[in-house]
Amino acid sequence: MINFIGNETQTELTARLIAADREPHSVIICGEHGLGKRTLAKVLASQLLCERGDGTFCGQCRACRLIEQGQHPDVMTVQSSDTGNYKVEDIRAVVSDAVVSPNEARLKVYIIPDLDRSRQTLIQVQNILLKLIEEPPDHTVMILTARSKETFLATIISRTLHLTVEETEPAQTAAYLAEQGCDPQLSEEAVRRCGGNIGACLDYVSDEKVRKLADIAAAAVQALAENDEYELLKLFTMADQKRDSFIRLMTFMQRAVRDALRIHTGTQTPYVFSQEACKALAAKRSTKRLTAAFDILGDFSGRASANCLTSILVNALTAALIKS
């Protein structure tokens, strides 16, 4: 059975809609990398096609088993290229196929994940899908995922159900990691540094490169607290310059700055990214400056997502953070 932790509000909403024969024909699922957007898409497909027919899913019937295995003939996940871009002809093929009746289920479900990564064809893809979303066949459901709702055209946003995947509670995350047999010490570090993002926590405990990025982020926050521009630039240069690694580094730093902001404002923070670095930053910067740094990191993460070269971004990022 598909294992989706937390976010009961989202799954209960879709279950109620399906039970009332008001299932959405177009859905946008948003949330940062690792939170389970694709998993929620599979849960929704299971709710729609399960033989129970009441908006819940059993995980045992033929439809549920095939969806979990990725083999259901009426649940299609569109594949992007290695760079994350979707081919225009593949999206046109979806639109053409959508008018054809389902193979065996009552509905056909199309999942187009991580649309925000399709920077080269983002607008084209949405314009092609727009007619299908505006006037969907009765037997068609379209599920799109992205980090942010801002990825989508206003005309698509206005015609879709929006679901946001949230982090789980840290205790839930820790319990899940324990169930998976993860190393206890690494699991504790993962929850401190990745919060309730289960996918990110699993990456942390299994990938030394991810842990190295987290260490660089902690050191960079310490350098920022000391206003050491040279050290900050050196640390950014040390990090893996691949786009996904740069975005992950920005996410780690945002978590650390957020924790510093919580410390600065006296908010109870049981899981702190890095006690030493976050306390140092909280002591040296005002709420306004911490908020500005958080926003700058988000902005540069967005620039990297838009295919800007990270080797070019690091100089501007360093200057912006020191100035903030």
Side-chain angles (χ1 to χ4, degrees):
M1 190 168 180
I2 300 170
N3 191 6
F4 186 63
I5 310 297
N7 288 279
E8 291 84 0
T9 301
Q10 314 297 348
T11 53
E12 289 171 3
L13 169 62
T14 52
R16 288 197 303 272
L17 290 172
I18 294 166
D21 291 326
R22 295 170 51 212
E23 64 259 14
H25 285 280
S26 301
V27 181
I28 288 174
I29 301 176
C30 295
E32 70 177 54
H33 174 75
L35 286 177
K37 298 185 294 294
R38 292 193 192 208
T39 305
L40 180 55
K42 290 179 72 173
V43 167
L44 177 53
S46 299
Q47 290 177 315
L48 289 163
L49 303 189
C50 178
E51 293 173 10
R52 283 181 177 175
D54 62 359
T56 63
F57 69 102
C58 65
Q60 303 299 321
C61 68
R62 170 181 165 79
C64 285
R65 293 198 311 273
L66 289 176
I67 291 170
E68 183 176 5
Q69 296 163 7
Q71 297 178 353
H72 198 293
D74 292 313
V75 179
M76 284 69 72
T77 299
V78 185
Q79 301 297 325
S80 64
S81 67
D82 292 341
T83 61
N85 288 295
Y86 285 98
K87 295 180 180 178
V88 169
E89 54 266 34
D90 289 345
I91 303 303
R92 288 201 174 105
V94 167
V95 174
S96 298
D97 184 70
V99 300
V100 180
S101 298
N103 293 285
E104 61 180 64
R106 68 184 185 91
L107 297 168
K108 294 174 80 169
V109 180
Y110 297 92
I111 301 172
I112 304 181
D114 301 324
L115 191 58
D116 52 309
R117 297 190 68 221
S118 187
R119 290 292 170 178
Q120 294 178 10
T121 57
L122 181 60
I123 302 302
Q124 287 174 283
V125 165
Q126 293 185 77
N127 282 330
I128 293 168
L129 290 173
L130 185 56
K131 183 68 173 178
L132 180 60
I133 290 172
E134 287 179 328
E135 300 176 10
D138 290 340
H139 60 258
T140 300
V141 175
M142 179 71 62
I143 304 175
L144 311 172
T145 83
R147 286 175 181 264
S148 169
K149 191 171 72 173
E150 281 66 41
T151 296
F152 300 97
L153 298 172
T155 45
I156 286 182
I157 292 173
S158 65
R159 291 167 172 81
T160 53
L161 172 69
H162 312 140
L163 302 176
T164 300
V165 188
E166 305 286 354
E167 292 188 2
T168 60
E169 291 296 323
Q172 277 184 302
T173 308
Y176 178 81
L177 295 175
E179 289 174 6
Q180 303 306 305
C182 298
D183 177 89
Q185 182 177 344
L186 287 178
S187 295
E188 191 274 334
E189 288 179 17
V191 175
R192 278 196 293 107
R193 293 184 161 185
C194 305
N197 186 323
I198 290 178
C201 284
L202 289 171
D203 287 345
Y204 186 93
V205 298
S206 64
D207 192 337
E208 187 177 353
K209 291 181 180 178
V210 174
R211 297 196 292 274
K212 181 180 178 181
L213 281 174
D215 289 340
I216 290 173
V221 169
Q222 184 69 46
L224 183 59
E226 296 167 2
N227 222 42
D228 189 336
E229 185 171 2
Y230 173 77
E231 181 65 15
L232 190 59
L233 179 59
K234 185 176 76 171
L235 288 163
F236 286 151
T237 305
M238 284 172 52
D240 187 343
Q241 297 298 302
K242 292 179 181 177
R243 182 178 64 171
D244 288 347
S245 296
F246 183 86
I247 292 171
R248 194 186 291 268
L249 177 62
M250 296 299 97
T251 300
F252 278 139
M253 287 196 68
Q254 277 194 302
R255 287 187 177 278
V257 172
R258 180 199 60 192
D259 287 347
L261 185 57
R262 288 174 173 170
I263 293 169
H264 182 80
T265 57
T267 305
Q268 187 175 2
T269 309
Y271 293 91
V272 177
F273 187 90
S274 169
Q275 286 282 357
E276 182 179 355
C278 293
K279 285 183 177 179
L281 188 62
K284 295 289 183 67
R285 294 211 166 198
S286 65
T287 299
K288 182 178 180 180
R289 294 188 71 197
L290 288 168
T291 303
F294 184 91
D295 291 341
I296 287 167
L297 292 163
D299 175 53
F300 275 82
S301 179
R303 294 191 199 186
S305 296
N307 285 330
C308 289
L309 289 174
T310 57
S311 57
I312 295 174
L313 290 177
V314 292
N315 288 291
L317 171 62
T318 303
L321 286 173
I322 292 295
K323 185 178 179 181
S324 68

